[in-house]
Amino acid sequence: MIKTRSIIFLLILISFNITGQTNLEYYFGDNISFNSKVSKPSDILDFEIGEKHVSHDQLVKYMHIIAEQSDRVKIERYGWTYEHRPLMLLTISSPDNLTDIDKIREDHLKLSDPAYSGDINIANMPSVIWLGYSVHGNEPSGLNASLLVAYYLAAAESNELNSILNNTVILLDPSINPDGYSRFEQWVNQYMSDVSISDPNNVEHNEAWPRGRTNHYWFDLNRDWLPLQHPESQARIKQFHKWKPNILTDHHEMGSNSTFFFQPGIPSRTNPNTPTENFSLTNKIAAYHADALDKIGSLYFSKEQFDDFYYGKGSSYPDVNGSIGILFEQASSRGLSQQTVNGILDFPFTIRNQLTVSLSTIKSGYELKNELLKYQADFYRQASKLARNEPVKAYVLDGGDDLTKTNRFLDILLRHQINTYRLAEGLFYDDHNYSTTSSYIVPLEQEQFRLIKAIFEKSTSFTDSLFYDVSAWTFPLAFDIKHSAIEGKSFKNDMLGDKLIEIPELTGKVSAKSSYAYLMKLDDYNSYKALYMILKNNLKVKVALKAFSTGEGMEHNPGTILIPVRSQSKTEDEVYDILKKISTKSNIDFSNVSTGFNQAGIDLGSPNMVNLEKPKVMMLVGNGVSSYEAGEVWHLLDNRFGIPLSMVDIDRFNRINLSRYNTIIMVNGNYSRISGSSREKLEKWIKDGGNIIGTKGGSKWLIDQKLANIKLKKTSRDTASIKNYGDMYQHIGAQNIGGSIFEATLDLSHPLCFGYPDKYISLFKNNKLFFEKSNNPYNNPVLYSEDPLQSGYISKENYELVKNTSGLIVSSIGRGETICFSDNPNFRAFWYGTNRLFLNAIFLGDIISSSSTR
Ligand SMILES: [Zn+2]
């Protein structure tokens, strides 16, 4: 009996000891009183914050409970992730402000409108502060701190907090990337031990591929603020513009051996479209973080790392929208505690730092309120003056016949609140006829002046040669959309036609029922969606290798798809019904033809009409493979085109039969795990007619294994001269190609280039793989130009290497082929222009060798 009692006593002691380390006093100190009507996190979770990693569901539950209990908090679900987890935003302010929150929001928005902002008395306005946590799912301290931030704001009782809440509106996004976080949280919690294992090698601290940083399709959501290709970003940006906050925080983690970082970042690497006052305000706010972190004894640094050049990140998008974006980086404990060069790093310690800078941000937003509000109004007031001093007055774009792709581009402009207009009249500019049916115009003189420049500009000169991310992202080049910058007096206001309120509605139709054949053009992005649906319905399909005309101006380029009626296993009516359904789902037109005898070019029964097979696609994944680039392919095929993709780990690949696939994809990565016998298996599979597509590192492996006949241009090393050790990082970094844009020309007669409207295309390059031109003169479908740099940074040495190289080479092996891209044609899901090359490789790859013998 005595024994049992002492064991129980001991257990109580142990549990007190655990909670004793991480109770609320640890986070908040002992002189704050809290409203007892609001639940503490531990009341709901049954553990203290920091004792384990909270799950997304637990987080959602807690936030809803305190929103119910506190009259300072409102909660809304603003979107869903791919895996159908809710995205939440808490609006936190004084109860009085919350009863009038719509009016406060509307008044706040007027600050960004020069037509109203001059008459506003900012002294009576609250500032708006947005706190955003853990966009990278495996950087958990921010998200776990968000419960404490919310609890503090909902429950703490002090005159200072009352005054803060009277003068600020705090928007709290506790979990920006719930799908990625959930992968991570599942991992660390399943390997959590009773005793803390701080060994960095422990499985708890080392997630499996593809890890939790990214979203469902393995995209970095902290690069998607500008491209907006994912539901998380699209929903968030809507809230951003609904509020236009004055400060936005972005809470991350970095390597475990670091300390803590807050912005400003490296001054010389700020994007020139960001006003200089932004930097000085960021610096003023930084003093608040420094003060707060000094008080709890945490080490930190600023200005030496990270930059605000690429606007697709959470800490820089606000900077081009009249707001101040702030990046925080906390050394990561990953699991519950980890040994580092600075001693044992505990999870609660990392959470406390994130909590501390959240509260110092709020304090700065309160004390610098008038300065921030004035900065925001000035930012938008300056826009029209800056636009008047700018040589470029408007950008005009012609989407041509690719209506789906054009719509995706317009969608981005509308989501960023960029005023876009139809052309009032046809315009001949830069040797191009911009027609009123397919062209749009974006004038620079509008509130989003800076953002328009950031989206459309081509830059080739920079103050720094190092970039944390890409150095160029010019959207019309990525979309391969014909465009011109209209300068000076060439621009007239009456060029602006109707303002675009929403993207144009698209419809597809079958012109009429046919008993002979149907034709489909390949010039729309969604043609591939339609093509896959046709093949999935087991209809026989041919593709034209040569042009033809069916008369009455019906010109058909190579790549036109033919669906004959009689040779199908389905009736005339069934074929018609299937195509009608497909046209509705894909918005693609089908035209009927009643004769195979064409007015010009090849006839429909020509040997230059070749059969297409349904792609059965597999992609290698797992350790060594770039999860980003694999995810881009998965998202492209699955989400955009409804094409099933088997993803097979390299270890399993070593054991399986390949006969169920006709296409294999190898994206960037290290494939040394492929066994020798698997390499032989792969070669036999290609010889038997397989089609293998490599990009970057995938291509490199195929070349090294002699499965692709490509000569690489070698980079030369400068070993002769003596240099300062202190400059090493700068010199080596300047030889990286972080991501720049280059012009290339297409061979429009090559199946891999079918469907392109003209021979010029832009390629995105972020690696140093350079293909010598193929010796076979017919085998250079995509060639880098003589002087190809369009936008971005590249060193002189690398620039010499990239000129006149081949971007894409096909190697025939037996009855099959390898198709090697030197670059990634699917970068971040917004390179719609080069997506087509990749889709052609999938659908048309296996006809190249057969057609070259024709
Ligand atoms: Zn991060």
Side-chain angles (χ1 to χ4, degrees):
M1 186 65 190
I2 292 169
K3 248 187 185 170
T4 324
R5 245 195 230 155
S6 55
I7 288 171
I8 292 171
F9 181 67
L10 201 73
L11 282 174
I12 290 169
L13 262 187
I14 289 169
S15 67
F16 265 116
N17 188 34
I18 290 169
T19 52
Q21 285 171 355
T22 56
N23 61 19
L24 289 181
E25 218 178 290
Y26 172 74
Y27 292 114
F28 293 112
D30 55 4
N31 54 7
I32 298 177
S33 63
F34 290 97
N35 177 351
S36 61
K37 292 195 181 104
V38 178
S39 301
K40 298 193 287 283
S42 60
D43 294 340
I44 308 302
L45 305 172
D46 217 25
F47 61 87
E48 291 289 349
I49 294 294
E51 284 177 359
K52 66 187 283 289
H53 293 69
V54 71
S55 75
H56 182 73
D57 293 347
Q58 289 167 331
L59 171 87
V60 172
K61 184 177 168 192
Y62 179 71
M63 294 302 186
H64 276 283
I65 287 172
I66 59 163
E68 193 71 28
Q69 293 169 338
S70 167
D71 55 5
R72 298 171 180 173
V73 183
K74 280 188 172 181
I75 191 167
E76 65 187 299
R77 177 184 48 71
Y78 71 82
W80 294 106
T81 68
Y82 285 111
E83 294 173 22
H84 215 69
R85 291 189 175 88
L87 297 160
M88 287 177 299
L89 195 67
L90 279 68
T91 308
I92 304 171
S93 194
S94 68
D96 279 354
N97 282 345
L98 282 187
T99 54
D100 217 9
I101 197 71
D102 288 335
K103 168 95 172 49
I104 289 175
R105 187 179 67 78
E106 282 160 22
D107 287 346
H108 181 79
L109 285 183
K110 286 181 185 156
L111 265 191
S112 314
D113 186 344
Y116 299 98
S117 63
D119 303 329
I120 297 175
N121 180 8
I122 52 174
N124 300 325
M125 291 179 85
S127 59
V128 179
I129 303 158
W130 178 302
L131 308 171
Y133 297 96
S134 298
V135 63
H136 293 144
N138 59 1
E139 300 175 2
S141 54
L143 181 146
N144 282 264
S146 75
L147 292 92
L148 295 167
V149 177
Y151 173 65
Y152 173 84
L153 295 173
E157 291 175 324
S158 73
N159 289 337
E160 191 198 7
L161 182 59
N162 285 340
S163 182
I164 287 176
L165 292 175
N166 280 328
N167 288 286
T168 57
V169 174
I170 296 155
L171 304 167
L172 192 150
D173 186 347
S175 174
I176 302 175
N177 174 17
D179 293 349
Y181 177 75
S182 297
R183 287 203 298 278
F184 170 77
E185 172 267 319
Q186 177 78 10
W187 181 271
V188 282
N189 280 331
Q190 72 183 320
Y191 288 115
M192 182 174 65
S193 303
D194 279 354
V195 288
S196 120
I197 310 287
S198 58
D199 174 4
N201 293 324
N202 186 36
V203 64
E204 173 191 6
H205 305 303
N206 296 284
E207 296 159 87
W209 197 94
R211 295 174 271 281
R213 175 184 175 93
T214 48
N215 78 348
H216 172 77
Y217 283 110
W218 313 335
F219 279 75
D220 188 337
L221 288 176
N222 199 37
R223 302 294 181 269
D224 195 43
W225 284 74
L226 212 51
L228 299 179
Q229 296 302 304
H230 297 283
E232 295 93 341
S233 319
Q234 291 170 355
R236 188 184 340 103
I237 224 72
K238 198 169 168 191
Q239 297 302 313
F240 178 92
H241 285 295
K242 199 174 140 192
W243 270 105
K244 297 193 192 287
N246 299 98
I247 302 178
L248 184 145
T249 65
D250 191 19
H251 297 255
H252 289 252
E253 290 189 355
M254 57 183 162
S256 304
N257 290 326
S258 311
T259 57
F260 190 91
F261 169 87
F262 52 78
Q263 278 185 324
I266 297 172
S268 61
R269 294 198 223 157
T270 304
N271 192 299
N273 287 309
T274 299
T276 47
E277 300 91 306
N278 179 294
F279 194 87
S280 50
L281 266 171
T282 307
N283 223 2
K284 270 192 182 174
I285 295 168
Y288 287 81
H289 312 317
D291 187 43
L293 291 169
D294 286 344
K295 282 192 179 124
I296 58 168
S298 289
L299 289 174
Y300 54 82
F301 68 101
S302 67
K303 299 189 191 76
E304 283 172 74
Q305 280 182 22
F306 304 105
D307 67 45
D308 270 341
F309 187 78
Y310 171 53
Y311 285 123
K313 298 188 296 157
S315 60
S316 36
Y317 182 78
D319 297 342
V320 76
N321 280 281
S323 175
I324 309 285
I326 298 174
L327 171 70
F328 294 118
E329 296 273 357
Q330 163 65 50
S332 184
S333 70
R334 292 292 173 230
L336 292 179
S337 78
Q338 200 173 148
Q339 287 161 25
T340 74
V341 297
N342 298 314
I344 299 279
L345 179 62
D346 284 321
F347 187 40
F349 175 79
T350 68
I351 294 172
R352 189 175 63 169
N353 284 341
Q354 300 278 18
L355 166 69
T356 301
V357 296
S358 301
L359 300 185
S360 60
T361 300
I362 292 170
K363 191 175 176 195
S364 73
Y366 163 65
E367 291 188 0
L368 303 174
K369 175 180 90 70
N370 291 350
E371 214 171 319
L372 288 161
L373 293 168
K374 183 177 175 302
Y375 169 77
Q376 186 170 37
D378 288 347
F379 180 96
Y380 286 103
R381 266 200 291 262
Q382 287 159 4
S384 52
K385 193 177 144 207
L386 289 169
R388 280 195 291 275
N389 292 334
E390 186 77 11
V392 175
K393 299 299 173 196
Y395 288 99
V396 59
L397 359 129
D398 183 355
D401 292 329
D402 195 340
L403 303 181
T404 302
K405 194 179 71 177
T406 309
N407 264 11
R408 304 283 170 91
F409 185 73
L410 296 173
D411 185 55
I412 295 174
L413 298 180
L414 291 179
R415 288 181 192 278
H416 287 304
Q417 305 216 322
I418 291 171
N419 298 331
T420 304
Y421 301 82
R422 287 187 176 278
L423 260 189
E425 279 175 33
L427 172 70
F428 185 75
Y429 200 84
D430 272 356
D431 281 338
H432 183 82
N433 264 318
Y434 287 92
S435 80
T436 53
T437 50
S438 56
S439 299
Y440 298 87
I441 184 162
V442 181
L444 266 86
E445 193 170 341
Q446 57 173 299
E447 277 87 65
Q448 292 294 49
F449 165 78
R450 286 186 176 87
L451 185 56
I452 295 167
K453 279 187 71 183
I455 285 177
F456 283 84
E457 242 175 10
K458 295 167 197 155
S459 309
T460 49
S461 63
F462 302 91
T463 47
D464 201 320
S465 50
L466 297 192
F467 298 87
Y468 181 74
D469 198 78
V470 298
S471 65
W473 52 87
T474 315
F475 276 63
L477 298 180
F479 274 76
D480 188 33
I481 283 182
K482 175 70 197 165
H483 64 287
S484 301
I486 304 184
E487 296 198 0
K489 294 208 167 78
S490 304
F491 174 73
K492 309 248 173 338
N493 262 320
D494 57 15
M495 286 176 175
L496 308 183
D498 292 340
K499 187 175 166 186
L500 206 64
I501 305 299
E502 54 188 2
I503 54 170
E505 199 185 328
L506 301 182
T507 52
K509 59 176 191 314
V510 183
S511 59
K513 191 173 150 185
S514 173
S515 52
Y516 190 75
Y518 298 93
L519 296 172
M520 179 189 91
K521 293 187 174 183
L522 202 63
D523 48 14
D524 190 278
Y525 193 73
N526 257 4
S527 312
Y528 300 89
K529 187 174 181 175
L531 178 56
Y532 188 78
M533 283 194 266
I534 299 168
L535 293 165
K536 197 170 128 188
N537 277 283
N538 295 316
L539 291 178
K540 291 197 184 86
V541 171
K542 286 174 184 285
V543 61
L545 301 178
K546 298 264 156 77
F548 61 93
S549 166
T550 51
E552 292 165 25
M554 289 298 287
E555 302 303 324
H556 293 275
N557 290 326
T560 299
I561 301 296
L562 167 73
I563 306 112
V565 174
R566 287 294 158 81
S567 56
Q568 308 289 353
S569 60
K570 296 190 163 55
T571 66
E572 242 176 74
D573 284 343
E574 284 169 340
V575 173
Y576 179 56
D577 286 344
I578 289 170
L579 293 185
K580 264 203 306 195
K581 268 187 204 140
I582 293 173
S583 67
T584 311
K585 281 189 181 160
S586 61
N587 305 322
I588 295 297
D589 289 339
F590 292 88
S591 56
N592 67 307
V593 278
S594 52
T595 171
F597 191 62
N598 285 329
Q599 300 296 307
I602 59 171
D603 293 321
L604 296 190
S606 158
N608 277 304
M609 283 281 185
V610 298
N611 291 332
L612 283 186
E613 251 185 82
K614 182 173 79 177
K616 289 176 270 184
V617 194
M618 183 257 265
M619 176 170 64
L620 286 167
V621 296
N623 266 337
V625 177
S626 161
S627 60
Y628 295 120
E629 298 190 19
E632 284 157 2
V633 171
W634 180 24
H635 173 259
L636 181 81
L637 299 193
D638 182 50
N639 186 266
R640 293 213 176 130
F641 294 100
I643 302 170
L645 173 70
S646 295
M647 295 186 277
V648 177
D649 189 276
I650 295 170
D651 287 338
R652 184 167 185 80
F653 175 77
N654 287 330
R655 303 196 298 266
I656 59 166
N657 185 332
L658 302 180
S659 61
R660 63 165 75 222
Y661 315 107
N662 58 19
T663 307
I664 293 178
I665 295 169
M666 297 176 73
V667 297
N668 195 29
N670 176 335
Y671 290 92
S672 55
R673 285 197 296 140
I674 295 181
S675 67
S677 58
S678 293
R679 187 238 165 258
E680 302 310 312
K681 177 170 75 177
L682 195 61
E683 181 169 9
K684 185 176 178 311
W685 174 86
I686 303 170
K687 282 180 172 160
D688 289 346
N691 174 24
I692 188 153
I693 302 166
T695 62
K696 292 169 64 177
S699 297
K700 178 77 169 46
W701 186 85
L702 292 165
I703 296 165
D704 290 345
Q705 296 297 319
K706 310 229 175 316
L707 294 173
N709 183 16
I710 296 171
K711 246 178 88 183
L712 294 178
K713 238 176 162 176
K714 286 276 175 286
T715 51
S716 61
R717 265 235 182 104
D718 174 13
T719 49
S721 56
I722 302 293
K723 290 173 178 145
N724 284 337
Y725 173 79
D727 297 332
M728 182 168 70
Y729 178 71
Q730 181 81 18
H731 285 171
I732 293 174
Q735 293 304 324
N736 281 337
I737 304 179
S740 301
I741 303 174
F742 301 92
E743 184 196 70
T745 51
L746 301 172
D747 170 1
L748 293 177
S749 72
H750 196 288
L752 292 181
C753 304
F754 283 176
Y756 280 101
D758 63 64
K759 68 172 190 169
Y760 294 103
I761 191 165
S762 298
L763 304 179
F764 176 77
K765 186 163 194 70
N766 65 351
N767 70 353
K768 286 164 84 170
L769 191 66
F770 306 102
F771 293 173
E772 295 275 13
K773 260 189 250 182
S774 168
N775 289 334
N776 174 352
Y778 306 103
N779 189 14
N780 290 295
V782 181
L783 269 185
Y784 276 87
S785 304
E786 174 76 42
D787 187 17
L789 182 64
Q790 291 180 303
S791 193
Y793 168 80
I794 186 165
S795 73
K796 260 203 267 172
E797 297 85 345
N798 288 328
Y799 196 38
E800 288 312 309
L801 284 166
V802 75
K803 290 174 178 177
N804 299 312
T805 54
S806 201
L808 177 56
I809 289 180
V810 184
S811 308
S812 296
I813 300 176
R815 288 189 288 119
E817 56 278 301
T818 55
I819 301 173
C820 291
F821 289 82
S822 61
D823 305 300
N824 171 14
N826 307 314
F827 186 64
R828 290 184 185 163
F830 77 102
W831 273 78
Y832 281 78
T834 43
N835 276 166
R836 178 183 287 278
L837 290 171
F838 191 76
L839 292 161
N840 282 343
I842 290 176
F843 282 99
L844 310 177
D846 69 353
I847 66 168
I848 298 165
S849 319
S850 49
S851 58
S852 64
T853 56
R854 217 162 290 273

